[in-house]
Amino acid sequence: MEEHIIDQQKPHSLFKAEQVPAIVRHLVPILIVCTIIMLLTGNLSVGASVDVNIALGNGNNISLPEVFGFSLGHTIRQLYAAGIYPLLFLVVGFSGMWPYGKLLLMLRAWI
């Protein structure tokens, strides 16, 4: 009975739990860190761009590379410059902070 009470008071992480297979114990934290790195890469690069291609009647084409690019940083700067603070807070919170916070909490809970 006393042993059972001691076990309940001492929290164990899933990383140290013997019931979880060893491959899963080591693979989950690695995958969480890889997800954070991929998310950072995606947020720091251009997500989409607008290119203009004009086809002339004589068979020639005029191309204007990347007229406008979309990225998280660019969107945040534009919202701040335009003074659209409610949308700015939503974008920063749900696209900038929440994904990383969630992954870090998952990593903390696992380890």
Side-chain angles (χ1 to χ4, degrees):
M1 178 86 173
E2 243 178 81
E3 187 177 314
H4 183 66
I5 294 172
I6 293 171
D7 284 343
Q8 285 181 349
Q9 292 175 352
K10 185 179 176 187
H12 295 286
S13 67
L14 288 171
F15 186 75
K16 296 176 183 176
E18 294 177 5
Q19 297 85 356
V20 178
I23 185 104
V24 175
R25 281 188 279 164
H26 292 90
L27 192 60
V28 169
I30 291 169
L31 290 176
I32 291 173
V33 170
C34 288
T35 304
I36 291 171
I37 292 169
M38 288 188 293
L39 189 60
L40 268 173
T41 305
N43 284 341
L44 296 176
S45 64
V46 175
S49 65
V50 177
D51 300 330
V52 176
N53 293 316
I54 302 171
L56 303 174
N58 60 3
N60 292 336
N61 292 327
I62 299 173
S63 296
L64 301 174
E66 194 174 328
V67 176
F68 190 80
F70 297 94
S71 69
L72 181 61
H74 186 67
T75 300
I76 291 171
R77 284 190 300 275
Q78 282 189 323
L79 290 172
Y80 181 77
I84 308 171
Y85 300 114
L87 187 57
L88 171 68
F89 294 134
L90 287 173
V91 169
V92 169
F94 289 114
S95 296
M97 295 170 59
W98 172 247
Y100 299 104
K102 179 185 68 168
L103 288 168
L104 290 173
L105 286 172
M106 286 173 52
L107 187 60
R108 175 66 182 107
W110 191 266
I111 295 176

